[in-house]
Amino acid sequence: AGGLTGLLNQSSAQMVDGSLKFDGSKPTYLKRTFGAGNQRTWTWSAWVRRDSFGERHNLFGAPNTDANGHYIEYRSTDRFQLEDYHSGLDFIRTLDQVSRDTGWFHWVVVQDTTESTDNNKIKIYKNGVLQTDTSALTHPSTNEEGAISRAAEHRIGVFPISLTEANFDGAMSQVYFVDGAALGPENFGYTDGLTNTWRPKKYNGTSPNNGITWSNSIVPVASGFQ
């Protein structure tokens, strides 16, 4: 998983090498249809710069089987949120903080409905810091599946259902979607010791075997193998 990679400056930088510009006046977006993945557990990470405010901007999402979807976005109130709407509101976490600052910011959204603690089922990080204040919060049920990671078209930069709603106006870089893993922001960024700013780093995902070649540990015994 990954894309839109590029070298970023600190979060207040106005120019970013390797970023992709989205024109909010047009339905400019990226799309990809995945095979069925893990609809309970995943991680999304991106560096985002908005060029306008007071408008709804959709960043990433997928449709449900009806006319709604599961998506990450800025609301028209400039609050950041994850929402799953399927014939009614299933779950939502909307930050209380209003985000109207210019420049680059790093967002990580983690969904893991296998968690037994409600507050751990959806986590949102901004520049490496877990956000805890919310203006709207409905927890998913344990092991609930959302639309993200289902076998459907996923979109970056526009509403997952309509091409005329919530068009993103700004730029993105270092966009990652990691299926089946709940990862912290340290996988995608770090604090610069000289400037004390949050900076990007390349995500280096490991395999399910975590680099271990298990066949190297096979031991023959009289009855077979261990």
Side-chain angles (χ1 to χ4, degrees):
L4 306 188
T5 57
L7 177 63
L8 293 172
N9 299 314
Q10 63 188 28
S11 59
S12 60
Q14 298 304 310
M15 298 297 292
V16 177
D17 292 337
S19 64
L20 183 63
K21 179 73 170 65
F22 294 80
D23 184 347
S25 67
K26 304 172 184 176
T28 53
Y29 67 102
L30 301 176
K31 65 179 181 179
R32 179 168 180 174
T33 300
F34 301 127
N38 190 327
Q39 295 170 235
R40 300 183 179 95
T41 305
W42 49 262
T43 303
W44 180 86
S45 168
W47 285 81
V48 181
R49 188 199 70 210
R50 298 175 76 196
D51 287 346
S52 61
F53 303 93
E55 301 171 350
R56 188 179 179 190
H57 288 163
N58 208 275
L59 302 176
F60 176 71
N64 280 307
T65 54
D66 61 2
N68 296 292
H70 188 188
Y71 40 84
I72 299 166
E73 68 173 355
Y74 288 97
R75 299 295 300 175
S76 59
T77 58
D78 297 319
R79 289 180 169 87
F80 188 92
Q81 76 170 22
L82 168 70
E83 179 176 356
D84 183 76
Y85 198 95
H86 186 192
S87 299
L89 180 65
D90 286 339
F91 55 85
I92 187 172
R93 182 182 286 273
T94 307
L95 300 187
D96 184 56
Q97 180 189 58
V98 174
S99 297
R100 295 188 181 125
D101 298 319
T102 59
W104 288 93
F105 292 91
H106 181 225
W107 294 99
V108 174
V109 179
V110 182
Q111 178 179 298
D112 187 3
T113 64
T114 67
E115 286 276 358
S116 57
T117 302
D118 279 343
N119 282 333
N120 291 337
K121 291 176 180 176
I122 299 173
K123 295 180 180 179
I124 299 175
Y125 298 87
K126 181 181 181 181
N127 286 352
V129 178
L130 178 65
Q131 306 297 294
T132 57
D133 293 336
T134 54
S135 63
L137 177 61
T138 300
H139 296 294
S141 59
T142 301
N143 291 319
E144 182 171 357
E145 294 186 339
I148 288 177
S149 206
R150 66 185 286 258
E153 182 178 284
H154 290 58
R155 295 176 178 173
I156 296 174
V158 73
F159 193 59
I161 306 300
S162 169
L163 296 182
T164 61
E165 291 183 64
N167 297 342
F168 177 59
D169 189 37
M172 291 191 224
S173 187
Q174 300 254 356
V175 178
Y176 294 96
F177 173 66
V178 184
D179 178 60
L183 304 175
E186 68 278 1
N187 290 275
F188 311 96
Y190 71 99
T191 300
D192 189 318
L194 294 177
T195 62
N196 199 35
T197 55
W198 185 253
R199 295 176 63 89
K201 71 177 184 182
K202 183 179 179 180
Y203 169 65
N204 292 307
T206 58
S207 71
N209 291 326
N210 200 28
I212 298 172
T213 303
W214 292 98
S215 59
N216 291 340
S217 301
I218 292 177
V219 179
V221 295
S223 60
F225 294 93
Q226 290 181 350

